[in-house]
Amino acid sequence: MKLIAACIVSFLITLVTGRFLLPELRRLKAGQSIREDGPTWHAGKSGTPTMGGLMFIFGILVTILVFGWDAMRAGSFAHLYVFAFAAVFGLIGFLDDFQKVKMHRNLGLTAIQKFALQLAAAVVFLCLMRYEGMLTPNLYVPFANTYVILPWIVYMIFAAFVIVGTVNAVNITDGIDGLAGSVTVPVALFFAVVGSWWGYENDLGVFAAAMVGGLIGFLVYNFHPAKVFMGDTGSLFLGGAVAGLAFAYDMPLVLLLVGIVYICETLSDIIQVAYFKATHGKRIFKMAPLHHHFELCGWSEVKLVTIFTLVSAVFCMLALWGVIGRYHF
């Protein structure tokens, strides 16, 4: 009941916050510049307010402070660590969004600047989790209910790049109205259910449930036709939250299942670029990342979001089946 209540409260806070934030973003002329090489019909979205991710970030923060109070009194701050970690990525995204809005073009921080900041945030978070005893160098393997034990240095390098990769994969997925938010709802729900199973209702479960509610509240404004975009502020926060939860639960390999949409989106981008260079101009996809390919195949944004979200939900249910044995392991 606590997790359901947290979800509802986060939804309501996000919804109300949006009522005040949206006019402010319009007043500040925080409009998104659209990629010039994207689908031509996206040009009509130019000027739509960005940085809307602030509304669900605020909703999640208030909710975890209220519903995670018992955990904090008991000395558990896992939910605050994950939020702070995700918020650092959100801040990196905010700086990027601010540069785009200020310069009125779809370019923000350089790739090197983003990577350096993200890698630093990942290393600090992993060191903190290790210090708090929440992290082990043992990779839990879903379905097999076994562990692969790695040297700490190998694990830390692996973990840092998994985090940075996850964060940027979510960012790539945020390309059409409602897509990143919609596919992340079942991912957050997965972590909420696992939190309930494993006795994390007061901290990590609350955070995940607040994510579900906050994202649904945001989608009221972001679903097609979008009144606001989450921007890098929101997408990098979500990427940090998903990666942070996976490592806080000490089962990062589950990202291969729950993050299937993010992975496919990223791989389509990598494959497209590599094939283009190798063949001197030929393409496998009509456009990358993958959602643009399906757009050019004639899929509407609503159809695309619906199917991608269903795929995410199916793989999250598969992930639940894969980790159910760990409760007794």
Side-chain angles (χ1 to χ4, degrees):
M1 290 301 296
K2 173 178 278 191
L3 300 191
I4 294 173
C7 178
I8 293 171
V9 168
S10 182
F11 167 78
L12 293 174
I13 293 173
T14 301
L15 201 62
V16 172
T17 302
R19 292 288 184 183
F20 293 95
L21 180 63
L22 201 51
E24 284 300 307
L25 292 175
R26 290 190 183 120
R27 186 181 65 81
L28 293 171
K29 298 181 179 179
Q32 175 72 53
S33 298
I34 303 300
R35 283 177 52 183
E36 294 179 0
D37 59 344
T40 55
W41 53 88
H42 280 208
K45 300 181 181 186
S46 183
T48 301
T50 188
M51 296 187 285
L54 291 169
M55 66 178 75
F56 61 74
I57 293 173
F58 179 72
I60 292 169
L61 174 60
V62 174
T63 302
I64 65 172
L65 289 176
V66 173
F67 288 89
W69 183 251
D70 289 341
M72 289 185 282
R73 289 182 62 187
S76 176
F77 301 96
H79 56 309
L80 295 183
Y81 293 154
V82 176
F83 178 86
F85 173 66
V88 169
F89 283 99
L91 178 60
I92 295 170
F94 178 82
L95 295 173
D96 197 37
D97 285 334
F98 183 77
Q99 287 291 325
K100 292 174 185 177
V101 170
K102 184 179 179 182
M103 303 303 293
H104 298 289
R105 56 197 178 100
N106 199 30
L107 295 172
L109 299 175
T110 66
I112 295 297
Q113 289 172 331
K114 281 186 184 178
F115 179 78
L117 290 170
Q118 291 171 3
L119 188 60
V123 170
V124 170
F125 172 72
L126 290 167
C127 290
L128 176 63
M129 297 295 281
R130 181 183 177 184
Y131 176 79
E132 291 290 329
M134 297 176 64
L135 201 65
T136 69
N138 308 327
L139 278 179
Y140 173 72
V141 182
F143 300 105
N145 283 331
T146 188
Y147 291 93
V148 176
I149 301 174
L150 299 175
W152 264 114
I153 186 65
V154 174
Y155 182 87
M156 294 293 274
I157 294 171
F158 157 81
F161 282 96
V162 167
I163 288 172
V164 173
T166 301
V167 169
N168 286 287
V170 176
N171 183 239
I172 288 172
T173 305
D174 182 35
I176 62 173
D177 298 355
L179 182 58
S182 294
V183 299
T184 304
V185 168
V187 177
L189 186 58
F190 162 83
F191 286 115
V193 172
V194 171
S196 179
W197 281 354
W198 294 356
Y200 291 114
E201 298 96 335
N202 292 329
D203 43 32
L204 296 176
V206 162
F207 180 91
M211 270 184 71
V212 174
L215 285 172
I216 295 173
F218 174 71
L219 286 169
V220 172
Y221 302 99
N222 182 240
F223 200 75
H224 185 74
K227 301 179 183 68
V228 66
F229 299 139
M230 68 172 66
D232 285 358
T233 304
S235 62
L236 294 186
F237 174 90
L238 288 184
V242 169
L245 283 168
F247 280 95
Y249 280 117
D250 203 14
M251 52 176 188
L253 289 183
V254 80
L255 290 170
L256 292 172
L257 294 171
V258 301
I260 187 65
V261 172
Y262 313 139
I263 292 170
C264 290
E265 291 274 44
T266 304
L267 284 177
S268 69
D269 227 10
I270 294 170
I271 292 169
Q272 183 85 324
V273 172
Y275 189 76
F276 184 87
K277 290 182 177 179
T279 60
H280 305 289
K282 293 183 180 180
R283 293 176 170 85
I284 291 181
F285 304 101
K286 293 184 177 182
M287 185 178 290
L290 197 57
H291 55 260
H292 286 325
H293 171 78
F294 285 113
E295 275 192 285
L296 293 176
C297 287
W299 288 25
S300 69
E301 292 193 38
V302 173
K303 177 182 177 180
L304 202 157
V305 169
T306 301
I307 292 177
F308 275 41
T309 302
L310 286 174
V311 170
S312 179
V314 168
F315 274 82
C316 285
M317 287 189 285
L318 185 63
L320 281 175
W321 181 32
V323 304
I324 193 170
R326 191 182 175 191
Y327 182 79
H328 302 290
F329 185 61

